[in-house]
Amino acid sequence: MPVKHEEVDALLPLPPATFHILTALADADRHGYAIIQDISARTQGELHMSAGTLYRSIQRMQEQGLIVETRQRPAPEDDDDRRRYYKITAFGLAVARAEARRLTQMVKLARARGIAPETR
Amino acid sequence: MRLYDLLLYLYPASFRSEYGTEMRHIFSQRRQMASFPVAVIGLWISTFFEILVNAANVHWDVLRQDLRYTARGLARSPGFALTAIVVIALGIGANTAVFSITDQMFIRPLPFPDSQRLVQLWENTPDSARSEVSPPNYRDWHRMSSSFESMGAYVGSNGTLFGRGYPRRLGGAAVTTGVFAALGVEPLLGRSFVSDDERANAPGVVVLSHGFWQAEFGGDPKVLGMSLRFDDATYTVIGVMPSSFYFPTRNALFWRPLSDSTTTDLNRGNNFLKVVGRLKVTVTTVQAQAEMRVIADQIEHSYPQNNENSGVTIASLAGSIRNEVPAQARLLIAALFGASLCVLLIACTNLASLMLTRGIARQKELTVRAAMGAGRQRLVRQLLTESLMVAVLGGVAGVFVAIASVPLLATLAPADVPFGQPTALDIRVLVFAALLTTLAGIAFGMVPALRSCSAAKLAALRTKSGTSVRREWLRSVLVAAQVTASIVLLISCSLLIRALWRIQAIDPGFRIENVVTVNTSLAAAPYADLTRKLEFYSRVLPEVRALPGVASAAFISVLPIMTGGGIQRVNGVDDDGASLRFVSPDFFASMGIPIRLGRDVTERDTLDTPLVALVSESFVRRHVAGVDPIGQTFSFSGGIRTIVGVVGNIRVRGLERDSEPQVYLPYKQMPVRVGLLYSPKELVVRSSIPIAGLIPAIRQTVQRADPEMLLQVRTFKEIITAQTETRVVHAGVLGAFAGLSLLLAGVGVHGLLSFRVSQRLPEIGLRVALGATTADILRMIFRQSLLLTSVGCCLGLVLGSAAGWWIRALLAGVDPIDLPSIVSAAGLAILMTATGTLFPALRAIRVDPATVMRME
């Protein structure tokens, strides 16, 4: 299903929690706790998302069609039936990309004014 | 973990069932990772706040979603939305408007700081537990007591304002310095009274009410220092009270100091002061009562003559003030409040019924949502959001209805309480409206929501709805309840209208058409002197009689109907009173009171001739029955009077009260110093042409005789109308309520039967196909409507009679179980249900069997 630009733009800018969750799900389907751990690892422990924030975001993101609960489960020995796995949708990916583009653009603007460090 | 599970209950059920297990799981892992007690405590604290914030957010998300959904749904069915909002707006509007008055009358604390510490002190005499206080007793209480932060005495004291246009009579009060202090209110401008102002010969000072200051001086602060002439003295304006200050009643526009000449009056039997006190923070009413008892005993000991067995009663100021509102006025408002609740009840049942129908229409949608995994609780919540949204929209509209209707009810609001005119734009009233709105929303939303959702589940299992039997039963109950409530209102309203008619039909004993009355200030100085009064009469009466169109004119002490007092003993017997009026010749002709026997009073009946009297027929029956009354004598008002004439009975104490026998004495035989009440001061003029055109000329004639005289001109028709004004408004409002409820009940019946017919179309089609006649079908439809009506009627008649019994004090003797009222209420209800049944019935008999069968 083609992704409509206006639908993507309507969701921007994304709340930080939403962006983090999308990023966490970009490379693999994960369950809730794994998402928290992934975010924590990627931010060197800076951001420790609470369960409440996570699931409230997940609920809203499911309604917005950014992620879905997946039926595919990992191998039984890794699985825990209390867990639910989430998967990013094509729409979710498009939104995450658009948000990344927007953030890059902002950083560029900031650099041009000398208020953000050049990293190379 | 149990604590965590409890915390999870802060989330909506749908969220909890969806994510609760996982959240619990994540928390338990964190809990295991936290090894030190400090870390555990930190985890709990952060979790607690995190859940608090997030749960609120999730609730908000759900609410927003539901609101959006509801708004879309309502926009799709504007007819339903509009009906529902109007119905609820009328219900809430009626209640809010009535509440604004009820609140002042019964509930609201007095508008003074820490008003629970304000008490009223009464003398407790053998005659009455709550008697006013004599000035010397008050002064002793004030001096000897230590339970009060401050104490003050006051008495209602009206005054005539001169020098600003026509002389005007204004309501006011005389207060000691302690009154404002006890009430805890400072003037907005200037100062309040100090003890120097109370000295007997101190220069006159006056404090004005905010309303009077605004109306008379346009809110000009330069009013301070201005001189105003009240009665025969000049007063300097020293202060203006704040806008919210009213005391002791709404009608007090100015306050003068209660000067020492009044408070030092040494007569301990002259009780006329009211006393207000503010208890010290540490003192309870019981303690104050105990102290005052000791003081009262000491006073009794020192002055046994006037204080035998007397004590002090202390009661809350709010209660005392409210107690003085006549019981009938209180009942009037309580009845109105009951009626408005009845209207709201009908509105809610009506809406519940509407919502049920809507639930059925939306069953498919709900079924789909249930099938897609929406929990029952989630659906109920959404439906409740919808009814609450309707209620809130209706509530907002209702507040506007209330704002518009409060002025119409203002006649019913008692002026005897220290509050401003009631208004709907008042925080307490608005909170009440909000509360009512929420309750109404839940009341009419809850049952239909629960029903629809359980039906949704059931229907998910079946293809065709089979749940309508129970639901229809519920709707029938709702409709029957509406019929019941509207019959209760109809009966009460009809009783009140009959009471009104009865009062309006009362023959006052005189003719009110083309009679104008002019109230003069002849009782007061400078006319206290008899000669001055007689001069005035002999100048004014001939001039007024000479006006073209005037048939006759006369002076009398007190108008019939108007005053309750003026009762004197006949032949010295205590319980045998007759009302006394001094009249000038022609009074009976002016009022149209027939002279049955003998003659009128004449100008020749003076203090130099034998004392004579005219008496009413009721007087003759009571005191001189069986003999020719003319020439009989009786002792009355300090003299032996000879009866020279007998006149018809009149109502002296208002239309609704029985009257004592009446005695009329010639005005030239009044004592040299006659009491204010008895001094002839009311000019009564009858004209042979329509009276309205004569009023200016009469007014000018009297004013010419004394340009400074305060005059109040009214036609007798106005006086009689004013007697029933409150009742007219009350019956009107109740009538509007009854009409509204009847209409709503009609809509309810119509809705139910329409639904019923549409559900039974196939059955009806089948019946027609099998040979049922139109009459059979009609009978079938009307049978149900008749059943509903008769159940509603029976209950309504019982409850309506109970309501009638409750308000019997308002019924002016109409029997609470009044056949015409009952019959007309039942008749109207039957007519209304018949109308409501008409359209569904027409639809049923137009059913084409072929079409219906095909649809099946």
Side-chain angles (χ1 to χ4, degrees):
Chain A
M1 203 167 64
V3 175
K4 286 187 187 147
H5 277 298
E6 52 273 29
E7 283 182 14
V8 172
D9 289 344
L11 293 181
L12 300 187
L14 282 184
T18 306
F19 187 61
H20 277 298
I21 295 169
L22 285 177
T23 323
L25 293 177
D27 59 341
D29 302 350
R30 291 178 205 271
H31 56 79
Y33 191 51
I35 296 175
I36 293 178
Q37 285 175 316
D38 182 71
I39 294 172
S40 182
R42 273 188 294 111
T43 57
Q44 279 87 42
E46 289 267 314
L47 181 64
H48 206 83
M49 193 179 280
S50 68
T53 311
L54 174 77
Y55 284 108
R56 181 181 164 229
S57 305
I58 284 180
Q59 186 191 38
R60 192 187 279 173
M61 288 164 76
Q62 281 183 299
E63 280 162 13
Q64 290 168 333
L66 297 175
I67 58 173
V68 289
E69 203 181 325
T70 170
R71 299 257 167 84
Q72 287 174 357
R73 317 278 302 197
E77 59 273 20
D78 295 339
D79 197 15
D80 177 335
D81 62 359
R82 283 174 302 184
R83 286 176 178 163
R84 300 162 80 163
Y85 286 77
Y86 300 96
K87 172 187 163 78
I88 193 164
T89 61
F91 178 61
L93 208 54
V95 170
R97 286 206 181 102
E99 176 68 1
R101 253 198 314 278
R102 190 185 69 83
L103 291 174
T104 316
Q105 205 63 36
M106 302 270 277
V107 173
K108 265 191 202 156
L109 282 173
R111 278 195 191 125
R113 288 292 155 100
I115 54 171
E118 299 279 342
T119 49
R120 202 148 283 268
Chain B
M1 279 321 276
R2 198 165 292 157
L3 180 60
Y4 190 79
D5 289 342
L6 278 180
L7 282 176
L8 282 181
Y9 271 92
L10 290 171
Y11 283 101
S14 55
F15 188 90
R16 199 168 55 241
S17 67
E18 187 83 8
Y19 305 110
T21 328
E22 282 186 84
M23 290 174 70
R24 199 169 182 279
H25 181 58
I26 292 176
F27 180 77
S28 76
Q29 276 179 328
R30 287 221 170 131
R31 174 72 186 74
Q32 277 158 19
M33 275 168 17
S35 36
F36 302 105
V38 179
V40 175
I41 294 172
L43 176 67
W44 271 113
I45 292 176
S46 65
T47 303
F48 180 73
F49 285 107
E50 180 257 313
I51 287 187
L52 227 54
V53 171
N54 276 305
N57 279 325
V58 172
H59 276 289
W60 174 236
D61 286 346
V62 172
L63 180 66
R64 263 199 326 206
Q65 203 181 16
D66 285 348
L67 283 178
R68 259 202 311 274
Y69 190 80
T70 300
R72 274 206 303 271
L74 290 181
R76 264 203 305 274
S77 42
F80 164 79
L82 202 68
T83 315
I85 289 170
V86 167
V87 165
I88 207 71
L90 291 174
I92 288 180
N95 274 275
T96 307
V98 173
F99 178 76
S100 68
I101 295 173
T102 315
D103 186 34
Q104 287 196 348
M105 186 73 129
F106 296 108
I107 313 165
R108 176 183 289 242
L110 297 181
F112 307 114
D114 282 334
S115 63
Q116 74 284 352
R117 285 200 281 136
L118 290 175
V119 293
Q120 183 118 48
L121 293 93
W122 306 87
E123 273 192 33
N124 183 346
T125 66
D127 290 337
S128 147
R130 293 185 174 195
S131 158
E132 274 88 8
V133 185
S134 67
N137 277 5
Y138 159 69
R139 275 159 34 88
D140 287 345
W141 291 2
H142 187 238
R143 188 168 47 80
M144 295 159 82
S145 66
S146 61
S147 299
F148 303 90
E149 248 175 46
S150 40
M151 186 192 281
Y154 60 93
V155 59
S157 159
N158 300 339
T160 307
L161 176 68
F162 291 99
R164 299 188 64 88
Y166 267 130
R168 269 168 302 158
R169 193 87 180 143
L170 302 178
V175 300
T176 64
T177 50
V179 169
F180 290 150
L183 296 175
V185 182
E186 291 285 323
L188 177 74
L189 286 182
R191 64 173 178 93
S192 59
F193 303 120
V194 293
S195 49
D196 272 355
D197 297 326
E198 286 180 7
R199 276 184 296 111
N201 43 8
V205 287
V206 63
V207 172
L208 305 181
S209 78
H210 191 271
F212 182 61
W213 174 53
Q214 289 290 331
E216 188 69 24
F217 301 98
D220 183 0
K222 287 206 282 289
V223 72
L224 293 182
M226 274 175 76
S227 288
L228 293 180
R229 207 179 123 214
F230 282 103
D231 303 324
D232 45 4
T234 305
Y235 295 82
T236 307
V237 179
I238 57 162
V240 175
M241 294 307 282
S243 62
S244 59
F245 182 80
Y246 299 89
F247 192 81
T249 71
R250 183 187 304 147
N251 296 332
L253 301 181
F254 68 96
W255 296 271
R256 289 181 281 192
L258 189 64
S259 62
D260 269 352
S261 60
T262 320
T263 43
T264 53
D265 178 1
L266 289 177
N267 182 355
R268 286 184 189 257
N270 186 11
N271 296 15
F272 64 92
L273 292 179
K274 291 202 168 144
V275 176
V276 58
R278 175 175 288 271
L279 290 173
K280 284 187 179 154
V281 181
T282 49
V283 176
T284 64
T285 311
V286 179
Q287 289 166 332
Q289 181 81 63
E291 189 201 14
M292 292 311 293
R293 186 189 314 277
V294 174
I295 294 174
D297 285 347
Q298 287 173 359
I299 296 176
E300 185 184 342
H301 188 73
S302 314
Y303 310 95
Q305 194 182 359
N306 288 108
N307 290 284
E308 203 179 356
N309 294 326
S310 69
V312 180
T313 302
I314 298 186
S316 85
L317 181 65
S320 303
I321 285 179
R322 290 191 165 118
N323 258 336
E324 282 177 54
V325 178
Q328 211 184 34
R330 277 183 281 173
L331 182 57
L332 209 72
I333 288 171
L336 209 58
F337 194 59
S340 69
L341 281 178
C342 230
V343 171
L344 187 67
L345 178 78
I346 294 173
C348 280
T349 43
N350 204 292
L351 276 189
S353 179
L354 262 178
M355 293 300 241
L356 273 175
T357 322
R358 192 168 151 80
I360 291 156
R362 290 166 66 181
Q363 197 145 311
K364 204 173 271 174
E365 170 204 330
L366 293 173
T367 312
V368 170
R369 292 193 58 186
M372 282 175 65
R376 179 167 182 233
Q377 218 170 347
R378 184 74 193 78
L379 290 183
V380 169
R381 180 171 170 161
Q382 205 241 301
L383 290 177
L384 263 186
T385 307
E386 179 175 293
S387 54
L388 277 175
M389 184 159 163
V390 168
V392 167
L393 289 173
V396 170
V399 168
F400 285 102
V401 171
I403 290 172
S405 49
V406 165
L408 301 178
L409 298 177
T411 339
L412 301 178
D416 317 328
V417 288
F419 296 106
Q421 276 290 349
T423 151
L425 281 179
D426 170 275
I427 188 71
R428 288 172 60 91
V429 177
L430 290 178
V431 165
F432 175 79
L435 214 66
L436 217 55
T437 300
T438 317
L439 278 178
I442 292 173
F444 72 73
M446 186 58 100
V447 174
L450 290 176
R451 277 289 156 86
S452 297
C453 290
S454 64
K457 267 193 183 160
L458 261 175
L461 302 174
R462 301 188 199 171
T463 46
K464 227 171 148 40
S465 150
T467 60
S468 52
V469 177
R470 266 183 71 199
R471 205 188 294 221
E472 235 176 83
W473 174 82
L474 181 67
R475 287 199 62 183
S476 302
V477 170
L478 290 177
V479 170
Q482 290 174 43
V483 174
T484 306
S486 50
I487 287 194
V488 171
L489 284 180
L490 280 172
I491 290 183
S492 317
C493 172
S494 151
L495 285 172
L496 285 171
I497 290 175
R498 284 187 36 97
L500 179 63
W501 285 347
R502 175 173 284 200
I503 293 163
Q504 282 172 341
I506 287 173
D507 176 13
F510 49 89
R511 302 207 314 275
I512 60 169
E513 294 78 22
N514 289 332
V515 177
V516 72
T517 72
V518 183
N519 176 285
T520 66
S521 45
L522 270 176
Y527 292 95
D529 180 35
L530 181 61
T531 339
R532 291 289 301 270
K533 265 198 277 263
L534 292 177
E535 269 170 31
F536 188 86
Y537 299 140
S538 58
R539 172 166 179 194
V540 169
L541 278 177
E543 283 185 27
V544 170
R545 286 179 184 141
L547 288 172
V550 169
S552 60
F555 272 96
I556 182 170
S557 315
V558 184
L559 290 176
I561 296 290
M562 286 299 287
T563 305
I567 309 298
Q568 300 264 324
R569 289 181 300 181
V570 177
N571 295 326
V573 181
D574 253 346
D575 294 334
D576 230 354
S579 80
L580 162 62
R581 284 166 163 76
F582 287 99
V583 295
S584 71
D586 266 1
F587 168 73
F588 301 101
S590 302
M591 291 296 295
I593 301 171
I595 298 181
R596 305 281 189 213
L597 278 176
R599 63 165 175 93
D600 194 356
V601 302
T602 68
E603 300 289 356
R604 289 179 306 279
D605 294 319
T606 64
L607 286 170
D608 302 329
T609 60
L611 298 178
V612 298
L614 275 82
V615 298
S616 65
E617 290 171 305
S618 51
F619 184 96
V620 171
R621 253 197 311 283
R622 185 167 180 101
H623 298 286
V624 280
V627 292
D628 179 9
I630 304 295
Q632 300 293 325
T633 58
F634 62 103
S635 134
F636 190 69
S637 186
I640 303 293
R641 321 266 164 183
T642 307
I643 298 175
V644 294
V646 176
V647 295
N649 296 327
I650 60 165
R651 293 261 163 179
V652 289
R653 287 183 178 237
L655 281 177
E656 294 184 41
R657 289 184 62 180
D658 288 334
S659 299
E660 288 80 5
Q662 300 103 47
V663 174
Y664 304 90
L665 305 181
Y667 74 143
K668 286 189 175 168
Q669 288 188 348
M670 71 178 138
V672 177
R673 299 210 65 85
V674 69
L676 283 177
L677 182 67
Y678 297 112
S679 174
K681 55 197 166 295
E682 302 273 358
L683 174 64
V684 180
V685 184
R686 170 176 296 281
S687 74
S688 49
I689 58 171
I691 194 77
L694 268 175
I695 291 176
I698 295 171
R699 194 188 176 102
Q700 277 162 21
T701 308
V702 183
Q703 202 81 68
R704 248 199 328 271
D706 182 351
E708 290 226 315
M709 182 163 294
L710 168 70
L711 302 178
Q712 189 189 10
V713 185
R714 282 171 303 177
T715 65
F716 228 106
K717 206 153 207 161
E718 285 165 356
I719 293 173
I720 295 282
T721 310
Q723 288 267 309
T724 49
E725 192 185 5
T726 319
R727 279 183 175 277
V728 170
V729 173
H730 192 244
V733 173
L734 211 65
F737 285 177
L740 183 65
S741 65
L742 195 66
L743 188 74
L744 288 178
V747 171
V749 170
H750 174 261
L752 175 65
L753 289 175
S754 300
F755 173 72
R756 188 89 205 263
V757 166
S758 63
Q759 290 255 303
R760 291 174 72 180
L761 277 183
E763 182 200 331
I764 295 170
L766 195 64
R767 279 173 189 249
V768 173
L770 292 176
T773 61
T774 305
D776 292 333
I777 302 295
L778 280 182
R779 203 173 302 132
M780 186 177 95
I781 305 291
F782 272 93
R783 192 185 305 136
Q784 194 188 5
S785 119
L786 200 68
L787 187 71
L788 287 178
T789 317
S790 34
V791 171
C793 270
C794 289
L795 265 174
L797 293 182
V798 173
L799 292 177
S801 304
W805 188 80
W806 180 54
I807 58 169
R808 66 196 180 283
L810 298 176
L811 297 183
V814 174
D815 188 357
I817 300 172
D818 175 56
L819 201 61
S821 295
I822 289 173
V823 169
S824 55
L828 272 174
I830 288 167
L831 189 71
M832 171 270 300
T833 23
T835 318
T837 317
L838 199 60
F839 288 99
L842 284 178
R843 189 164 158 224
I845 56 174
R846 288 209 193 106
V847 164
D848 173 21
T851 323
V852 179
M853 304 299 248
R854 258 204 305 282
M855 267 162 58
E856 280 292 291

